[in-house]
Amino acid sequence: MKKNLSVLFLALFAFAFSQKKWSLQECVDYAAKNNLQVISNQYNASLQSKNVDIARRDALPGISGNINNLTNFGNTQGFQGSIGRNDYFSNSASLGANVSVYNNGRIRKSAEKSQYDLDASLLDVEKTKNDISLQIAQQYLQVLLNKEVKKITDEAVANAEKVLKRAKITTEVGTTPKTVEAEATAGLAREKQRQKSAEIDIQRSLFNLATLLQLKEYQNFDVEEVILPGALDAPLTSSENIVDKAFENQPQVKAAETRILSAKKQIEIAKTAYYPTISANAGVGTNYFDSFSSSNSQKFFNQYKDNFYQQVSLAANIPIFNKGITKLHVEQAKISENIARNTAEMQKQEVRQNVQKAYFDANANYEIYLSALESEKSAKLALDFAEKSYEAGRTTIYDLNTARNNYVNAQGSVSQAKYNYIFSTKLLNFYAGIPLSL
């Protein structure tokens, strides 16, 4: 009975999954949690977080204990050259603590640098999520475009079937030759071929999206139907304000700027080697000694008590000459800062170019969209005239099929231009700090 219930539960779960249609937000959220590259970057950030903890704990005192046991058997040569037995057992125990008193802020600065490195690593995670989100949004729109193209081909197939039905009737009554029916049959076959290609394009785009999501099962994967606006607004007149906002919110820019702060802190850390360091030490200990050849050895705990000692020390390490290595470390740190600054400029340049490209594409795709609308309007008018002329017997079925093919192509061009423009505007909104949505 339990086995049957388990099988039923799994079947219901699989059925529910197969019926699920994913929204764009669900796709983005799933990738943010499960994408292997994102997870890898999160592990790197976790490692960096441990470095922060290690750097901060350097300021705490260190405490250690030590126990040593030694047994010696055999002959030993004395100071005057005599040789005799030297058998004994010794034991010692100690407990010590040490703490850094002064190091010119090296420990604090190291902790601050580690925190900057952690912040940069977390921003790298966000950068990876953003890159994957953009790829998912683009592929999601491709699925919607292919579905819209499929609807266009469905309509074209329905119209071709009507033309074939009429051609069969007119051919049977003898008003049109057999070639009309043959061409109508060929026209329907062409439209069905285009319909099948559209179906395959849908499955291919769904497969590509499932691959981006790294889903193990993709056969039943599907996305939600999204109603997009029928009319599209013109793009913005300028991209400069978007560039400024992108510099403020894009994680790759913020990560590069954070790494500049980390590099500057490394210079400060390197300079601390010019200054003395002071450390304090404290300890307690005792020892025990037993000569096997002597009968006067005290008992273990008596010796431990009598030999108990305490010590406190304060040590200073003053750098005098270390072959110029500290100076070279400082120069290396300054070079690293210059590299970080150059990297930040490169990131800004890349973001600026991406925004400008998205802005250019948005304007270009909008112009293409408007041209495609005019072409669709003209193709529809030509098709209407062709249908009326064909029904009146003043034009051939070849002319009708050509007009219908032109109209279907014009519809596809409108859909392609519309989705290209939508993605360009969503990309611009993304750079402006607006989350991806449809």
Side-chain angles (χ1 to χ4, degrees):
M1 182 65 180
K2 290 183 178 179
K3 182 178 180 181
N4 293 336
L5 288 175
S6 299
V7 172
L8 178 62
F9 176 77
L10 291 174
L12 290 174
F13 178 80
F15 177 77
F17 182 81
S18 66
Q19 299 301 308
K20 175 181 174 61
K21 291 182 181 290
W22 293 58
S23 68
L24 174 60
Q25 190 60 51
E26 287 175 328
C27 291
V28 170
D29 291 343
Y30 181 88
K33 293 179 181 178
N34 299 280
N35 183 270
L36 296 179
Q37 185 59 49
V38 172
I39 294 173
S40 177
N41 286 356
Q42 288 173 337
Y43 283 140
N44 290 334
S46 297
L47 285 175
Q48 192 56 51
S49 176
K50 298 305 178 184
N51 289 337
V52 174
D53 294 338
I54 292 172
R56 288 175 177 171
R57 295 189 183 191
D58 260 353
L60 300 175
I63 302 174
S64 62
N66 180 59
I67 298 177
N68 184 44
N69 294 287
L70 173 63
T71 301
N72 185 77
F73 298 97
N75 296 327
T76 303
Q77 186 174 12
F79 292 109
Q80 297 180 354
S82 61
I83 298 176
R85 297 289 297 181
N86 187 26
D87 302 335
Y88 66 88
F89 169 77
S90 68
N91 168 272
S92 63
S94 62
L95 183 67
N98 64 84
V99 63
S100 177
V101 177
Y102 174 78
N103 50 42
N104 196 36
R106 180 186 58 82
I107 295 177
R108 173 180 55 80
K109 293 170 183 176
S110 296
E112 291 173 352
K113 180 188 182 300
S114 296
Q115 184 62 53
Y116 285 136
D117 292 339
L118 172 59
D119 294 341
S121 296
L122 293 173
L123 289 167
D124 289 342
V125 174
E126 293 304 312
K127 168 67 166 56
T128 304
K129 289 181 180 180
N130 285 351
D131 290 344
I132 295 172
S133 297
L134 289 176
Q135 295 177 42
I136 288 174
Q138 187 174 23
Q139 193 58 48
Y140 197 98
L141 286 172
Q142 185 64 47
V143 174
L144 298 181
L145 168 62
N146 291 339
K147 288 189 173 186
E148 187 165 316
V149 171
K150 171 63 167 51
K151 293 178 182 178
I152 295 173
T153 61
D154 290 344
E155 183 180 351
V157 168
N159 289 328
E161 288 174 343
K162 292 179 182 177
V163 172
L164 177 59
K165 183 178 180 181
R166 183 178 184 278
K168 286 182 177 180
I169 294 174
T170 57
T171 300
E172 287 177 0
V173 298
T175 57
T176 56
K178 275 281 188 181
T179 55
V180 172
E181 182 180 350
E183 175 58 25
T185 302
L188 177 59
R190 286 192 294 270
E191 295 302 337
K192 285 186 176 181
Q193 181 184 11
R194 181 152 36 191
Q195 184 186 51
K196 179 55 67 175
S197 296
E199 292 176 357
I200 294 173
D201 287 341
I202 292 174
Q203 295 304 317
R204 181 181 290 110
S205 58
L206 283 171
F207 170 76
N208 291 336
L209 180 55
T211 302
L212 276 177
L213 294 174
Q214 298 177 349
L215 296 177
K216 295 181 180 179
E217 299 292 336
Y218 59 85
Q219 286 82 358
N220 298 315
F221 175 72
D222 202 358
V223 301
E224 288 182 348
E225 299 292 336
V226 179
I227 300 176
L228 298 175
L232 302 179
D233 297 328
L236 300 174
T237 57
S238 174
S239 63
E240 286 305 315
N241 58 333
I242 300 179
V243 171
D244 294 337
K245 290 181 179 179
F247 287 166
E248 295 174 1
N249 63 61
Q250 287 302 296
Q252 61 267 41
V253 175
K254 293 194 288 185
E257 291 175 342
T258 303
R259 288 190 168 97
I260 293 176
L261 299 176
S262 175
K264 292 174 67 176
K265 194 60 64 175
Q266 182 59 44
I267 296 175
E268 297 179 16
I269 294 171
K271 288 181 177 179
T272 60
Y274 286 126
Y275 297 87
T277 58
I278 301 175
S279 60
N281 297 273
V284 295
T286 188
N287 59 76
Y288 169 79
F289 182 85
D290 181 13
S291 176
F292 297 140
S293 61
S294 173
S295 59
N296 298 323
S297 297
Q298 290 180 295
K299 293 183 178 180
F300 182 85
F301 289 106
N302 290 337
Q303 284 198 40
Y304 253 46
K305 179 179 179 181
D306 294 340
N307 296 336
F308 181 74
Y309 66 88
Q310 310 89 35
Q311 64 180 19
V312 177
S313 66
L314 190 66
N317 185 352
I318 302 173
I320 298 175
F321 176 70
N322 68 345
K323 298 170 286 188
I325 292 177
T326 298
K327 181 181 178 181
L328 293 175
H329 284 166
V330 172
E331 291 175 354
Q332 281 184 327
K334 289 181 178 179
I335 294 173
S336 296
E337 182 190 5
N338 291 333
I339 293 173
R341 290 185 182 278
N342 187 65
T343 301
E345 290 302 316
M346 291 171 60
Q347 291 292 345
K348 288 183 177 181
Q349 184 181 26
E350 182 180 351
V351 169
R352 180 186 294 276
Q353 290 174 349
N354 288 341
V355 172
Q356 291 174 341
K357 182 180 183 301
Y359 177 75
F360 176 84
D361 289 343
N363 282 277
N365 289 330
Y366 185 71
E367 293 299 325
I368 294 173
Y369 171 70
L370 294 179
S371 299
L373 283 178
E374 290 297 321
S375 177
E376 181 191 34
K377 182 179 178 182
S378 300
K380 182 66 169 67
L381 183 61
L383 176 60
D384 291 341
F385 280 121
E387 287 177 342
K388 292 177 182 178
S389 297
Y390 177 70
E391 291 175 359
R394 289 195 291 262
T395 189
T396 65
I397 191 172
Y398 301 100
D399 296 327
L400 176 62
N401 284 342
T402 298
R404 188 174 301 284
N405 185 64
N406 290 339
Y407 179 59
V408 171
N409 289 336
Q411 286 180 301
S413 297
V414 170
S415 297
Q416 182 71 61
K418 179 175 70 174
Y419 280 92
N420 286 344
Y421 175 70
I422 289 174
F423 178 73
S424 298
T425 55
K426 296 300 178 183
L427 189 57
L428 283 175
N429 291 339
F430 170 79
Y431 284 123
I434 302 174
L436 291 171
S437 63
L438 292 176

